[in-house]
Amino acid sequence: MDFQSPLYTAFLIRRRAKVLADVQFETGECAVVLCPNTTRMTGLARSGTEIRLSYRPKPGRRLCYVWETAVVNGAMVGVNLNRQRDLVAEAVENDVLHELGGYAEIRPAASRYLDLTLIPAENSGFPECQVAIAPLYVKNGADLVFPDGIDVANHHVLRQMERALNAGQRAVLLLLAQRIDGIGVRAGWTRDAQYMTALRDLCDKGLEIICCGCSVSDQGIWLTARLPFMF
């Protein structure tokens, strides 16, 4: 996914109200920008962090700068969760994410807790596939950790996945890291043991977990890597 316009460098002053951030440009000018990320953003939102902003003016929009990436320990990390669905759909369409290939159509999911519905071709024998995309941000050593803490939405996702499996559909939890500096994904048992137990039980019933990393630069973000998941 290419960025449609050049990115602007700034430095984080503070994140506030989850979807807003105070930043300072290289010129010294300060501004309030959109932060399209409702996660804890662990390790990404420290004061002074170098970040990149896109400029997306629209009629009636008061805040036109959008926080896109952060530079952490020399690695660029994507923070705009609004790009997740398009990143995955693009990877499927380009046959980069071959695990989800072979479907005739990609649609936004009907459920608020799911992201994509993959529709099989008629008489293909493929089941319909429900995909939920979850971001990966917490890094411990060389590995990423999921989940980053207790989140009610994660439990709602599992219930939707279980309904899909009970209906004879395919269910995929896609853990997406908008970064390339992790070598694997570990289960965060100490962060939400109840969720992890439910996730493992649902995997025994057919839930698939796919973990992906992305190459991130000032030019764009592209899904490029597979990461192993370890319970």
Side-chain angles (χ1 to χ4, degrees), residues 65-104:
Y65 286 101
V66 179
W67 185 359
E68 296 287 354
T69 66
V71 180
V72 181
N73 296 324
M76 192 166 282
V77 182
V79 303
N80 187 344
L81 294 188
N82 291 340
R83 295 190 180 277
Q84 284 194 143
R85 186 181 294 176
D86 291 338
L87 273 169
V88 173
E90 179 184 80
V92 174
E93 291 169 350
N94 293 338
D95 201 29
V96 173
L97 193 54
H98 57 82
E99 294 93 334
L100 298 180
Y103 289 88

Side-chain angles (χ1 to χ4, degrees), residues 1 4 7 17 25 34 42 55 61 63 72 88 90 97-98 102 105 108 113 115 119 121 130 151 170 172 180 187 196:
M1 173 184 291
Q4 298 304 306
L7 300 185
F25 291 94
L34 291 175
T42 303
Y55 183 67
R61 174 181 281 182
L63 302 178
V72 181
V88 173
E90 179 184 80
L97 193 54
H98 57 82
E105 185 181 353
Y113 294 107
D115 292 283
I119 307 299
Q130 304 295 337
D151 189 336
R170 185 183 175 195
V172 175
I180 202 64
M196 289 312 310

